[in-house]
Amino acid sequence: MNTTTPDSDAVDAIIEQWAAVRPELETMPMEVFGRVFRVSQAVGDRVEQAHRQVGTSRGEFDVLATLRRSGEPYTLSPRRLSSTLMLTSGGMTGRLDKLERAGLLRRSPDPHDRRGLQVTLTEKGLELVDRAVVAGLEAQRAALTAAGLDEAETEQLSALLRKLLAGAQPGAGDSS
């Protein structure tokens, strides 16, 4: 029996199915995390599309944005970039090669470490990442607006998600 309402979503349908076969289950956690996951996917897709429209991909944006957030002179070591982005050195090298060929960053010897390199955002890379971050924020804002959330609700949602994230981290809630 389908009891979905006009406000129902795909998660409601999944919960109904579980209720039919395992009515004793308390499925609220599944409802919360099912929606968090689906929101993340949907908004991630919107942001990725916005980034493509300004000429970059999600992975490329991540590298450029990490350099941009580091502040002037927008320079980090490849190792620091890899650890921040949780990429293998091989994955990082591929991204850096592509971004360097596009003129968005440059690699140069590290003046403090003869064996090391540093990666620096170029002016072209700075302009692209600044356009991309604005496009991504607009896509995220559009999702909040489409949901009908006002400023107070958005702030409340952010605070609740911060609390949820803290509780979901490894070791959170351990009594040891």
Side-chain angles (χ1 to χ4, degrees), residues 2-139:
N2 186 350
T3 58
T4 58
T5 66
D7 293 333
S8 293
D9 60 22
V11 175
D12 289 321
I14 291 166
I15 298 307
E16 279 185 28
Q17 291 169 335
W18 277 115
V21 297
R22 294 282 312 273
E24 78 284 2
L25 291 176
E26 170 47 54
T27 57
M28 185 54 70
M30 187 183 296
E31 293 182 51
V32 170
F33 290 103
R35 288 188 177 98
V36 167
F37 176 76
R38 288 167 185 265
V39 166
S40 178
Q41 276 192 314
V43 176
D45 291 347
R46 282 183 178 210
V47 170
E48 190 167 353
Q49 181 179 0
H51 287 168
R52 275 197 310 268
Q53 289 175 350
V54 298
T56 192
S57 70
R58 183 180 302 192
E60 294 164 357
F61 172 80
D62 288 345
V63 172
L64 298 174
T66 300
L67 289 167
R68 178 67 165 106
R69 291 189 319 265
S70 73
E72 288 192 53
Y74 314 118
T75 300
L76 293 171
S77 71
R79 177 175 290 155
R80 185 103 179 265
L81 275 168
S82 291
S83 67
T84 300
L85 299 172
M86 297 184 292
L87 283 174
T88 65
S89 60
M92 179 56 67
T93 298
R95 283 191 194 171
L96 294 179
D97 287 347
K98 184 176 181 182
L99 291 165
E100 189 172 37
R101 281 192 305 273
L104 301 172
L105 58 79
R106 69 176 170 278
R107 288 181 273 201
S108 57
D110 185 336
H112 307 292
D113 179 359
R114 292 184 322 167
R115 297 172 297 156
L117 288 175
Q118 57 185 19
V119 179
T120 304
L121 200 56
T122 63
E123 188 63 36
K124 182 179 176 182
L126 180 64
E127 290 170 9
L128 176 63
V129 73
D130 281 350
R131 284 194 324 270
V133 74
V134 169
L137 284 168
E138 288 172 358

Side-chain angles (χ1 to χ4, degrees), residues 127-163:
E127 290 170 9
L128 176 63
V129 73
D130 281 350
R131 284 194 324 270
V133 74
V134 169
L137 284 168
E138 288 172 358
Q140 292 168 343
R141 190 171 288 109
L144 293 168
T145 301
L149 296 175
D150 63 27
E151 188 175 337
E153 289 171 320
T154 301
E155 288 174 9
Q156 180 182 21
L157 178 59
S158 178
L160 290 170
L161 289 170
R162 179 182 297 111
K163 193 173 181 179

